[in-house]
């Protein structure tokens, strides 16, 4: 069954080879050329193309490896001067490289799905059909699937209690793409609590300080330092330049299209206030921000105070703190701590997404993918995922703007939603109940308000693609639909963030007794994390 | 009060229905993102331009002139050569296009018009037509199939969800309609509805009306006319005990005749004012001048042409006569069997046989006409999954030269592999121990289908033949992609492919005729819905 599903998903990806691709395609082609032609001390200095190398060293090594294969397809592809080069062979090679590296993701998903006793095929299906990943990787062009595959490998090792391996894979991941730094606090807290403290306390409140194992800490530290040394070692002489490339604070608070996070509200409020001020004749600094290009410069707010990177970091860290403290306590419970870890990972990604500096809309995948893994592990998580699978994936739609792709986007999403909305309820509801009620839409028991909100998305989609053009507003207000989409989705993500936070903080897995009367409650979950005991 | 049995209340299996259905639609969207036939290829472009041109003509000229060569309507440039219903469909779409993007249907000025928005619009029209006509008809038939099958016989292939999705994922129609660009889904959808009324509801009048509508959308539906004719005629002879048989016969026959004539006149009325008009339209629909075949078609004449140049030996008139005779001979066993030993189950088989006979022997056959055979096979698939799968794959393969010309190789490969994978998933769902290669084994497939069983040797033979047939397809496919044919035979591979397919089709004709003759006679009675 798994093989067939893999073939179907891969075949769907292959359809997209000749279709629209974004500038990221050229970005990666340039990196192939840079890594292939230059010596490593020039990698982070080269500025022939405006798309300079801004991923950590391991990804650059990966590009180098790929470039040797690329040469066999088309040698002109790896010439640095060939800007915007896209011959048929180049497209084929680049697309195939994504499709083939995606098998790492599928393997990772398979490894993680194995721990689940009920619904393991379902979670595998949900993971591999993720429409966001397909849209971003195979149409827009990026290598996220591969990176999430490494994340899953790390998570799988964690669930098996192979904490050193988990740390190893996560360090690898950090050196492939540094955006995963946002997940690092969760790893740090969890590994400290679950690995460095060898004794677990029963009540989950008190920390058994006496059981702190220095050996374990050294093992972890050595692993991580080894990986980082391997990665940054060759660049030791040019670290400032590398870091300048990796963390470009020159870019604005928000991306060209506002990611649906807290700053979307902030920018929106700023726009509104600006208009109000103009209306009432209060002078404001008006500055047109370019909303189209990929390289957005710093953007000044007109009325509200301008946000600095430091503010966003403080906000992110503060918002993560309660969750991390909770994880420290939940980490004491040997049976369910892997579950708590996965939840906290999702939550902290959401915090980072909400408040981070220059967050891409694509970063929502960092919420959706761990959350979709959780969806088979608890009824509440399933509800959150049913909600977020609509909002989150819809918020990715503006990424693929050509009108031609609309049909594909809609049906990719609908196919996935069908799996989520139809199979998840079957997993949680006993069969007898199912036949009596209409299982579709009802059983995940989204509240009326949530359903209303989701229906609003249909209206939004209709407005954006049909009504807006018929009203003739696409000439005068071309960015209005984008703004509405991002603010509307931000509302949903914000709602999810608050309610998931509340759910996580109040979850009392460590003390909850295994109740017998409610059959499909959260404690039905069996992550066999304590297999090694 | 005891529980009344409510005939409308039934449970169908829909475990994979929704995701599968949407997957089938997604595949259609993906294929539609590829270029259509004749894109950017002046002066004649391709089928896409033909459809657009018909919209232009039907919107801007009076209905009477649609089929005539006038100053506003140049029949040499993609003149309308489909029946009136097709023209009305074009008119309807043309009016919408006129409202959305008037340049796309401007008379004369719009020839070769290509813009991204217009293409998107045209693709959506096919998609919606497909959804409205074809998908719903398939659903009806598949739901019915599960309803009337008793629980012990209910194989995985007869489950509503599985059969619907397998039917909808058939690559041939997806690639031709959504890739190459045509509206086959409309006529085939109407035809499936007619079939549904015969095999499920037994409403002969509705069946007649829908079939006449299908016929009026594409004259190629004539391939299916004989089974409808013989089946409905035979049903007129079924006597009911307490009525005078002669009066009953006349009554039934008149009803059908009125339905046919009424539908025809309703469809043709706006276009026809004299006999001359009728003759003109008929002349447009059946152009005898165009020769026995155009491109390489996998039928008997094209294969025979390799050895004997038919054009030099016979003129067109003689050729037509030969075609008619041979077609009749080839479909008579099936038709007569349907007439004298009527059985509802034979109806679909008869459709397959007759259309296959037409495809192999008749005049002016197009390689896309294989769809007319393939669609009945998709509904027959639950009864004989192994041979049907083989046929469906081969029918897709037989269109390879056409698809290569359109640049649809990648969609062809993807769609076929999705189709095969889903078929394999269906085998999994049967609960047997299967892997991905079980598709190749006739034994496993028939066991999962719970239908008939041949003896062991025949099964082995079938499996081996299927395996080598697949090998042949792969080799010929690779050959036409990679090998450069010698300069004196530029059409070497299309010809080889068509001959290879033709051999298979002859085998299938014999096989399906044998299947039909095997079935016993059984007067059609109202089917019982199984109790749930």
């Amino acid at each position: 069954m798994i093989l067939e599903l893999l073939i179907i998903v891969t075949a769907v990806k292959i359809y997209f080879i000749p279709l629209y691709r974004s500038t990221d395609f050229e970005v990666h082609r340039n990196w192939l050329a840079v890594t292939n032609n230059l010596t490593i001390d020039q990698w982070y200095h080269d500025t022939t193309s405006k798309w300079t190398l801004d991923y950590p060293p391991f990804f650059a090594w990966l590009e180098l490896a790929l470039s040797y294969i690329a040469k066999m397809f088309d040698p002109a592809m790896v010439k640095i001067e060939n800007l915007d080069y896209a011959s048929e062979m180049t497209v084929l090679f680049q697309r195939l490289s994504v499709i083939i590296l995606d098998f790492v993701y599928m393997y990772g998903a398979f490894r993680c799905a194995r721990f689940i006793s009920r619904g393991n095929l379902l979670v595998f299906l949900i993971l591999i059909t993720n429409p966001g990943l397909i849209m971003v990787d195979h149409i827009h062009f990026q290598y996220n699937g591969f990176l999430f595959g490494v994340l899953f490998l790390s998570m799988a090792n964690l669930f098996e209690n192979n904490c050193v391996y988990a740390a190893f894979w996560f360090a690898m991941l950090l050196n492939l793409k540094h955006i995963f730094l946002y997940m690092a606090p969760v790893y740090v807290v969890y590994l400290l609590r679950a690995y460095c403290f060898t004794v677990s306390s029963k009540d989950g409140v008190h920390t058994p300080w006496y059981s702190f194992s220095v050996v374990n800490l050294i093992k972890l530290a050595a692993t991580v330092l080894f990986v980082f040394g391997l990665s940054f070692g060759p660049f030791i002489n040019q670290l400032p330049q590398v870091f300048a490339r990796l963390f470009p604070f020159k870019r604005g608070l928000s991306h060209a299209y506002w990611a649906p996070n807290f700053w979307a509200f902030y920018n929106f409020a700023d726009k509104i206030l600006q208009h109000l001020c103009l209306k009432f004749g209060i002078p404001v600094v008006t500055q047109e921000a370019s909303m189209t290009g990929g390289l957005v410069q710093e953007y000044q707010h007109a009325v509200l105070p301008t946000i600095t990177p430091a503010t966003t970091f403080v906000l992110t860290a503060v918002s993560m703190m309660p969750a991390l403290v909770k994880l420290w306590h939940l980490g004491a419970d040997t049976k369910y701590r892997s579950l708590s870890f996965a939840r906290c990972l999702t939550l902290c990604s959401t915090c980072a997404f909400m408040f981070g500096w220059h967050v891409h809309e694509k970063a929502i995948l960092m919420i959706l993918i761990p959350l979709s893994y959780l969806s088979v592990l608890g009824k509440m998580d399933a509800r959150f995922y049913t909600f977020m699978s609509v909002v989150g994936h819809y918020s990715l739609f503006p990424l693929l703007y050509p009108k031609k792709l609309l049909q594909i986007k809609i049906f990719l999403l609908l196919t996935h939603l069908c799996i989520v909305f139809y199979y998840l309820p079957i997993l949680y509801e006993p069969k007898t109940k199912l036949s009596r009620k209409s299982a579709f839409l009802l059983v995940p028991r989204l509240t009326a308000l949530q359903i209303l909100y989701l229906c609003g998305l249909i209206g939004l989609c209709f407005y954006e693609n049909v009504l807006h053009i018929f009203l003739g507003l696409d000439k005068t207000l071309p960015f209005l639909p984008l703004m509405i989409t991002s603010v509307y989705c931000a509302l949903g993500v914000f709602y999810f963030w608050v309610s998931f936070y509340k759910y996580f903080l109040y979850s009392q897995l460590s003390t909850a007794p295994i109740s017998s009367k409610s059959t499909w409650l959260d404690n039905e979950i069996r992550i066999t994390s304590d297999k090694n005991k | 009060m005891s529980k009344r049995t409510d005939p409308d209340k039934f449970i169908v299996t829909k475990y994979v229905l929704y995701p599968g259905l949407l997957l089938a639609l997604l595949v259609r969207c993906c294929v539609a993102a590829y270029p259509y036939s004749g894109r950017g290829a002046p002066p004649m472009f391709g089928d896409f331009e033909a459809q657009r041109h018909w919209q232009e003509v039907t919107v801007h000229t009076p209905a009477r002139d649609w089929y005539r060569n006038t100053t506003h309507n140049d029949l040499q440039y993609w003149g309308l050569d489909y029946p009136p219903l097709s023209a009305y469909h074009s008119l309807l779409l043309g009016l919408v296009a006129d409202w959305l993007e008037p340049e796309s249907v401007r008379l004369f000025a719009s020839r070769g018009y290509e813009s991204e928005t217009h293409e998107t619009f045209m693709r959506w029209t096919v998609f919606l037509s497909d959804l409205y006509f074809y998908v719903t008809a398939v659903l009806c038939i598949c739901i019915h199939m599960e309803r009337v099958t008793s629980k012990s016989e209910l194989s995985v292939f007869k489950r509503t969800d599985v059969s619907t999705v397998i039917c909808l994922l058939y690559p041939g129609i997806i690639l031709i309609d959504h890739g190459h660009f045509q509206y086959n889904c409309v006529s085939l959808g109407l035809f499936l509805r007619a079939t549904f009324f015969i095999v499920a509801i037994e409403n002969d009048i509705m069946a007649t009306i829908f079939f006449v509508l299908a016929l009026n959308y594409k004259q190629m539906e004539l391939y299916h006319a004989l089974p409808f004719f013989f089946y409905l005629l035979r049903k007129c002879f079924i006597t009911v005990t307490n009525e005078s048989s002669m009066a009953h016969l006349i009554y039934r026959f008149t009803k059908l005749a009125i339905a046919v004539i009424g539908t025809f006149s309703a469809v043709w009325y706006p276009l026809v004012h004299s006999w001359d008009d009728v003759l003109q339209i008929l002349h447009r629909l059946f152009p005898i001048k165009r020769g026995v075949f155009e491109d390489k078609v996998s039928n008997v004449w094209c294969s025979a042409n390799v050895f004997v140049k038919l054009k030099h030996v016979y003129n067109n008139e003689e050729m037509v006569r030969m075609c008619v005779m041979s077609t009749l001979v080839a479909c008579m066993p099936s038709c007569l069997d349907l007439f004298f030993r009527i059985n509802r189950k034979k109806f679909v088989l008869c459709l397959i046989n007759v259309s296959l006979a037409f495809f192999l022997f008749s005049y002016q056959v197009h390689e896309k006409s294989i769809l007319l055979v393939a669609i009945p096979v998709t509904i027959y698939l639950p009864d004989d999954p192994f041979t049907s799968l083989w046929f469906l794959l081969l029918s897709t393969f037989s269109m390879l030269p056409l698809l290569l010309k359109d640049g649809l190789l990648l969609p062809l490969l993807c769609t076929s592999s999705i189709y095969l994978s889903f078929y394999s998933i269906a085998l999994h769902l049967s609960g047997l121990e299967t892997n991905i290669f079980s598709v190749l084994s006739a034994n496993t497939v028939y066991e999962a289908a719970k239908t008939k069983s041949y003896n062991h040797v025949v099964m082995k033979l079938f499996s081996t033949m299927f395996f080598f047939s697949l090998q042949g397809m792969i080799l010929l496919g690779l050959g036409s992609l990679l090998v450069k044919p010698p300069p004196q035979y530029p059409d070497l591979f299309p010809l080889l492919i068509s001959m290879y397919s033709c051999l298979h089709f002859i085998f299938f004709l014999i096989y399906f005729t044998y299947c039909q003759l095997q079935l016993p006679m059984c007067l059609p009675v109202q089917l019982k819905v199984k109790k749930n």
Side-chain angles (χ1 to χ4, degrees):
Chain A
M1 192 88 160
I2 283 176
L3 194 60
E4 282 91 344
L5 291 176
L6 287 186
I7 294 176
I8 291 181
V9 174
T10 308
V12 170
K13 290 170 184 170
I14 290 175
Y15 278 124
F16 301 138
I17 287 180
L19 296 195
Y20 158 84
R21 52 192 179 267
S22 74
T23 46
D24 276 342
F25 181 83
E26 169 62 14
V27 173
H28 285 92
R29 191 213 56 77
N30 182 45
W31 293 353
L32 284 178
V34 167
T35 49
N36 191 270
N37 289 307
L38 303 178
T39 52
I40 58 167
D41 49 320
Q42 289 170 308
W43 283 0
Y44 286 94
H45 285 280
D46 178 72
T47 50
T48 319
S49 163
K50 58 179 174 176
W51 310 114
T52 52
L53 186 59
D54 58 1
Y55 273 28
F58 276 168
F59 200 84
W61 290 114
L62 176 73
E63 292 278 0
L64 179 63
L66 284 176
S67 70
Y68 284 113
I69 312 170
K71 263 189 184 165
M72 292 176 211
F73 277 72
D74 184 357
M77 190 193 326
V78 291
K79 294 220 171 77
I80 299 185
E81 313 81 55
N82 276 351
L83 296 183
D84 291 318
Y85 182 78
S87 67
E88 219 165 83
M89 278 324 236
T90 313
V91 176
L92 188 68
F93 168 75
Q94 293 248 67
R95 292 285 201 192
L96 280 182
S97 70
V98 182
I99 290 170
I100 289 168
L101 281 178
D102 239 21
F103 285 108
V104 176
Y105 174 71
M106 290 162 170
Y107 175 69
F110 174 72
R111 283 280 300 274
C112 277
R114 269 196 325 197
F115 296 109
I116 295 158
S117 57
R118 218 176 108 83
N120 50 6
L121 191 63
L122 176 59
V123 76
F124 181 70
L125 185 62
I126 288 180
L127 283 172
I128 62 169
T129 60
N130 188 300
L133 209 53
I134 294 179
M135 285 194 284
V136 174
D137 277 13
H138 300 276
I139 305 182
H140 178 88
F141 198 85
Q142 271 193 349
Y143 288 93
N144 291 302
F146 166 68
L147 301 171
F148 280 105
V150 178
L151 177 70
F152 274 134
L153 283 180
S154 160
M155 280 167 73
N157 279 308
L158 200 78
F159 297 157
E160 282 168 354
N161 256 350
N162 296 331
C163 288
V164 178
Y165 281 103
F168 169 76
W169 282 113
F170 188 69
M172 290 288 279
L173 180 64
L174 284 182
N175 285 300
L176 283 166
K177 190 170 180 179
H178 48 300
I179 194 171
F180 288 96
L181 267 179
Y182 283 127
M183 288 179 173
V186 188
Y187 266 91
V188 172
V189 170
Y190 180 82
L191 289 177
L192 271 182
R193 182 64 188 88
Y195 188 62
C196 296
F197 288 92
T198 46
V199 172
S200 59
S201 63
K202 281 276 177 286
D203 57 359
V205 178
H206 299 103
T207 311
W209 295 104
Y210 57 86
S211 72
F212 185 76
S213 154
V214 183
V215 181
N216 283 0
L217 183 66
I218 290 172
K219 272 196 220 163
L220 282 180
T223 315
V224 173
L225 286 179
F226 169 70
V227 173
F228 271 85
L230 208 61
S231 161
F232 285 96
F235 300 92
I236 195 84
N237 297 322
Q238 35 169 336
L239 276 184
Q241 169 66 12
V242 175
F243 280 109
R245 282 282 174 84
L246 293 189
F247 302 100
F249 287 110
K250 281 285 182 311
R251 298 187 180 181
L253 172 66
S254 295
H255 193 57
Y257 156 68
W258 304 340
N261 60 5
F262 181 75
W263 306 120
F265 290 136
Y266 193 81
N267 293 345
F268 183 65
D270 185 60
K271 286 267 175 213
I272 298 278
L273 283 176
Q274 189 184 348
H275 274 276
L276 285 180
C277 289
L278 285 176
K279 212 174 179 182
F280 293 110
I282 306 165
V284 285
V285 195
T286 49
Q287 181 199 8
E288 286 303 314
S290 155
M291 306 261 273
T292 42
L295 293 166
V296 187
Q297 298 308 309
E298 249 173 294
Y299 161 63
Q300 301 283 330
H301 287 97
V303 184
L304 295 174
T306 299
I307 302 294
T308 59
T311 327
T312 61
F313 283 119
V314 171
L315 266 175
T316 312
V318 167
S319 64
M320 279 181 185
M321 211 43 89
L324 294 175
V325 173
K326 180 76 180 173
L327 179 67
W328 181 269
H329 292 311
L330 288 176
D333 183 278
T334 47
K335 198 161 182 190
Y336 296 114
R337 64 184 176 198
S338 328
L339 178 67
S340 312
F341 167 77
R343 283 195 185 133
C344 192
L345 197 69
T346 314
L347 195 51
C348 287
S349 317
T350 319
C351 293
F353 182 79
M354 285 312 283
F355 298 108
W357 177 260
H358 195 77
V359 175
H360 277 254
E361 64 271 32
K362 289 161 251 170
I364 199 146
L365 290 176
M366 290 175 61
I367 307 173
L368 291 174
I369 288 174
L371 187 63
S372 57
Y373 179 67
L374 280 172
S375 66
V376 292
L377 292 176
K379 207 170 180 175
M380 278 305 285
D381 304 85
R383 278 176 215 173
F384 283 122
Y385 184 64
T386 41
F387 180 72
M388 274 305 278
S389 62
V390 187
V391 185
H393 292 131
Y394 185 81
S395 76
L396 283 171
F397 273 23
L399 194 65
L400 310 173
Y401 58 87
K403 281 271 173 289
K404 224 176 138 184
L405 295 175
L406 178 71
Q407 213 179 351
I408 292 178
K409 285 189 288 188
I410 291 179
F411 281 95
L412 262 179
L413 178 59
L414 283 181
T415 312
H416 181 73
L417 289 186
C418 240
I419 295 168
V420 172
F421 276 68
Y422 189 66
Y423 291 152
L424 275 181
I426 292 178
L427 186 72
Y428 291 107
E429 294 290 321
K431 246 202 166 134
T432 47
K433 263 191 199 168
L434 201 74
S435 54
R436 225 168 280 151
K437 267 180 253 158
S438 149
F440 203 63
L441 263 183
L442 276 183
V443 179
R445 291 220 193 77
L446 299 174
T447 59
L449 202 66
Q450 286 170 336
I451 291 176
L452 200 68
Y453 173 82
L454 295 184
C455 290
L457 280 177
I458 302 173
L460 188 64
C461 185
F462 179 73
Y463 171 76
E464 213 177 298
N465 294 298
V466 182
L467 219 54
H468 190 72
I469 297 160
F470 270 81
L471 292 175
L473 291 173
D474 53 334
K475 298 286 183 297
T476 50
L477 294 168
F479 299 115
L480 184 70
L482 285 185
M483 191 167 78
I484 301 177
T485 310
S486 101
V487 173
Y488 194 79
C489 290
L491 209 66
V493 178
F494 193 76
Y495 168 79
F496 160 75
W497 179 62
V498 173
S499 40
F500 195 67
Y501 218 124
K502 200 172 132 199
Y503 166 65
F504 182 66
L505 288 186
Y506 281 89
S507 63
Q508 301 239 326
L509 277 181
S510 52
T511 51
I514 295 169
S515 71
S516 52
K517 58 182 175 188
S518 49
T519 344
W520 300 112
L521 276 182
D522 299 335
N523 40 26
E524 253 318 270
I525 312 130
R526 284 184 209 94
I527 290 187
T528 52
S529 60
D530 42 355
K531 161 176 101 172
N532 295 358
K533 297 249 156 170
Chain B
M1 206 178 100
S2 66
K3 260 192 189 169
R4 273 193 307 141
T5 44
D6 182 0
D8 288 334
K9 194 184 169 200
F10 55 89
I11 295 170
V12 292
T13 324
K14 40 191 182 184
Y15 198 67
V16 288
L17 183 61
Y18 303 119
L21 201 64
L22 282 162
L23 175 71
L25 297 181
L26 174 67
V27 168
R28 284 164 163 74
C29 305
C30 292
V31 174
Y34 280 76
Y36 45 82
S37 68
R39 180 182 191 162
M44 284 307 266
F45 302 95
D47 277 345
F48 180 86
E49 170 65 8
Q51 297 289 348
R52 195 208 53 71
H53 178 67
W54 294 346
Q55 293 178 8
E56 167 197 331
V57 169
T58 48
V59 168
H60 291 289
T61 58
R64 271 200 70 177
D65 292 342
W66 287 351
Y67 291 91
R68 288 175 183 282
N69 213 354
T70 61
T71 48
H72 292 298
N73 187 9
D74 175 16
L75 288 185
Q76 290 305 308
Y77 185 77
W78 294 116
L80 200 51
D81 54 2
Y82 280 165
L85 208 57
S86 222
Y88 299 148
H89 189 220
S90 288
L91 174 65
L92 181 74
L93 300 179
L95 288 174
V96 180
D98 195 28
W99 176 55
L100 288 172
E101 200 176 341
E103 299 84 47
S104 68
V105 286
R106 196 145 285 159
L107 198 58
F108 292 120
S110 64
R111 283 195 184 176
Y113 184 84
E114 284 174 342
S115 85
E116 193 141 299
T117 43
H118 182 243
E119 191 198 338
T120 314
F121 163 74
M122 293 289 270
R123 292 294 195 187
W124 271 102
T125 60
V126 182
F127 184 78
L128 293 177
S129 308
D130 196 343
L131 200 61
Y132 183 75
F133 288 102
Y134 185 70
V135 175
T136 48
V138 167
L139 251 171
C140 288
I141 288 185
C142 293
I143 289 175
H144 167 77
M145 195 148 34
E146 180 169 347
R147 285 180 69 193
V148 297
T149 314
S150 67
K151 208 150 204 172
S152 58
E153 282 175 19
L154 185 65
S155 71
V156 67
F157 290 103
K158 290 198 173 179
R159 277 169 47 176
T160 305
D161 50 354
V162 174
S163 56
T164 313
V165 178
I166 289 187
C167 205
L168 289 180
L169 278 176
Y170 167 57
I173 192 165
I174 300 180
L175 290 168
I176 293 299
D177 275 15
H178 298 266
H180 177 85
F181 202 90
Q182 276 197 338
Y183 292 95
N184 291 306
C185 49
V186 180
S187 61
L188 290 171
L190 289 168
F191 152 72
L192 279 184
R193 242 162 246 234
T195 314
F196 171 68
F197 277 112
I198 282 194
V199 298
I201 300 193
E202 298 234 18
N203 189 334
D204 298 346
I205 306 291
M206 288 305 278
T208 319
I209 291 175
F210 272 109
F211 184 69
V212 172
L213 286 179
L215 195 59
N216 271 307
Y217 194 90
K218 274 202 174 176
Q219 66 270 38
M220 264 79 93
E221 281 295 327
L222 274 177
Y223 285 23
H224 296 138
L226 285 177
F228 275 93
F229 174 75
F230 280 108
Y231 188 83
L232 292 174
L233 187 68
R234 178 65 180 80
K235 273 190 82 180
C236 294
F237 287 106
I238 297 171
T239 48
V240 182
T241 44
N242 50 4
E243 270 181 72
S244 143
S245 62
M246 200 56 200
H248 187 70
L249 170 71
I250 292 170
Y251 169 67
R252 284 191 155 195
F253 190 76
T254 323
K255 270 207 300 192
L256 292 179
I258 290 173
V260 173
I261 294 167
T263 319
F264 257 108
S265 38
V267 173
W268 286 54
Y269 177 74
L271 298 179
V272 174
H273 294 266
S274 64
W275 275 110
D276 207 29
D277 290 337
V278 179
L279 289 180
Q280 169 64 18
I281 297 179
L282 285 179
H283 179 70
R284 291 292 309 160
L285 299 189
F286 303 101
I288 294 189
K289 271 187 292 204
R290 283 170 74 175
V292 64
F293 53 83
E294 273 173 30
D295 285 338
K296 300 284 170 281
V297 184
S298 359
N299 72 355
V300 171
W301 304 123
C302 186
S303 307
N305 200 36
V306 178
F307 308 106
V308 186
K309 289 284 168 257
L310 292 169
K311 263 187 197 147
H312 304 311
V313 185
Y314 305 103
N315 62 19
N316 275 344
E317 300 279 313
E318 284 169 337
M319 206 57 233
V320 171
R321 235 170 281 143
M322 269 177 59
C323 287
V324 171
M325 286 313 292
S326 49
T327 313
L328 284 180
V329 169
C331 56
M332 262 319 124
S334 175
C335 287
L336 292 179
D337 176 61
L338 182 72
F339 188 77
F340 289 110
R341 299 169 63 221
I342 189 169
N343 180 344
R344 196 201 319 264
K345 282 184 182 158
K346 285 183 181 180
F347 180 67
V348 175
L349 273 168
C350 186
L351 282 173
I352 297 171
N353 290 325
V354 172
S355 48
L356 196 49
F358 268 79
F359 179 81
L360 283 174
F361 295 105
S362 76
Y363 191 76
Q364 243 290 301
V365 176
H366 221 274
E367 64 265 62
K368 281 164 267 177
S369 306
I370 194 64
L371 290 182
L372 291 158
V373 192
I375 298 306
V377 176
T378 55
I379 16 178
Y380 183 62
L381 187 133
D383 290 302
D384 189 350
F386 184 77
T387 331
S388 302
L389 175 75
W390 186 1
F391 179 88
L392 292 174
L393 286 180
L394 197 95
S395 68
T396 315
F397 170 75
S398 76
M399 292 186 283
L400 182 71
L402 176 79
L403 297 171
L404 279 180
K405 221 187 317 175
D406 292 342
L408 292 174
L409 176 69
L410 217 53
L412 170 69
L413 294 178
C414 294
T415 319
S416 308
S417 45
I418 290 178
Y419 185 67
L420 272 175
S421 311
F422 192 84
Y423 190 90
S424 172
I425 287 180
L427 279 180
H428 268 295
L429 293 178
S430 69
L432 296 172
E433 279 286 315
T434 57
N435 58 28
I436 194 150
F437 295 110
S438 306
V439 176
L440 294 171
S441 142
N443 211 348
T444 325
V445 174
Y446 281 124
E447 200 180 325
K450 294 184 191 168
T451 42
K452 50 189 159 188
S453 50
Y454 300 103
N455 73 48
H456 203 71
V457 181
V458 178
M459 295 269 214
K460 270 272 184 293
L461 186 67
F462 264 38
S463 310
T464 322
M465 276 160 62
F466 182 43
F467 179 75
F468 282 110
S469 162
L470 275 180
Q471 296 295 312
M473 287 189 229
I474 293 168
L475 284 180
L476 279 175
L478 283 178
S480 51
L481 276 178
L482 303 175
V483 181
K484 207 168 164 20
Q488 64 269 37
Y489 305 113
D491 282 341
L492 177 68
F493 280 106
L495 203 65
L496 280 179
I497 289 174
S498 66
M499 283 171 71
Y500 185 75
S501 316
C502 178
L503 276 179
H504 278 83
F505 289 144
I506 294 173
F507 161 74
F508 283 123
L509 180 63
I510 297 167
Y511 174 79
F512 283 124
T513 310
Y514 168 78
C515 285
Q516 188 189 343
L517 296 178
Q518 283 290 88
L519 290 172
M521 176 171 167
C522 164
L523 285 179
V525 285
Q526 192 70 48
L527 290 168
K528 272 192 198 125
V529 173
K530 62 169 179 178
K531 290 202 180 80
N532 282 303

